[in-house]
Amino acid sequence: MAGVASLAAGWLLGAAGVCPVVKRIWTPSWVLFSGGWCFLLLALFYLVLDVWNRRAWAFPLIIVGMNSIAAYLIAHLFVNFIREALLRHVGPHVFQWAGAAYEPFLFGAGVLLVQWLLLLWMWRRRIFLRL
């Protein structure tokens, strides 16, 4: 109910002209609108994972969630190193197999895969960064 109410309130504020729904400057209507989506997604994940007990598909997300501080640090501190290493070890042409339009997407997916594999390695060795 909170998700639907928040989503509707944000949309109504924008539609009525009170406050436009603009993500770039985080208007109050945008906060309500995006918060509504967050509540709805939280409810969906709760339903699927906890009520229906369907968890196998969420394994990649569990790996990231169990070491979220490490994921944040890897994404911000090691991304350039991972990019350079991918280009050095597999070459730039590997990411062009689907055409030039998809090269940035495939390159980003490769970087993301390496980051996730680092988190998987840490998870298997029970290495967790905690505050």
Side-chain angles (χ1 to χ4, degrees):
M1 289 176 39
V4 172
S6 181
L7 191 67
W11 181 80
L12 283 173
L13 283 172
V18 175
C19 183
V21 181
V22 181
K23 178 185 176 187
R24 186 177 179 102
I25 59 173
W26 279 82
T27 59
S29 56
W30 167 256
V31 171
L32 289 171
F33 184 76
S34 64
W37 280 112
C38 291
F39 278 126
L40 290 174
L41 288 171
L42 177 64
L44 176 68
F45 283 134
Y46 172 75
L47 177 69
V48 172
L49 294 171
D50 293 334
V51 175
W52 294 344
N53 202 22
R54 303 278 188 237
R55 296 184 178 179
W57 65 273
F59 179 71
L61 301 175
I62 291 170
I63 297 301
V64 174
M66 289 291 292
N67 222 343
S68 58
I69 296 172
Y72 178 83
L73 292 173
I74 288 170
H76 285 51
L77 298 177
F78 301 130
V79 71
N80 289 332
F81 174 77
I82 294 170
R83 285 180 182 155
E84 292 171 7
L86 273 177
L87 290 175
R88 182 172 43 252
H89 293 292
V90 299
H93 301 294
V94 171
F95 303 107
Q96 296 173 352
W97 66 269
Y102 293 101
E103 180 184 2
F105 172 76
L106 293 174
F107 187 57
V111 170
L112 182 63
L113 177 64
V114 171
Q115 291 172 342
W116 187 83
L117 289 172
L118 284 169
L119 293 171
L120 178 65
W121 177 84
M122 292 175 72
W123 181 77
R124 286 186 176 163
R125 282 155 186 74
R126 304 289 183 230
I127 301 170
F128 302 107
L129 299 182
R130 300 173 194 239
L131 292 178

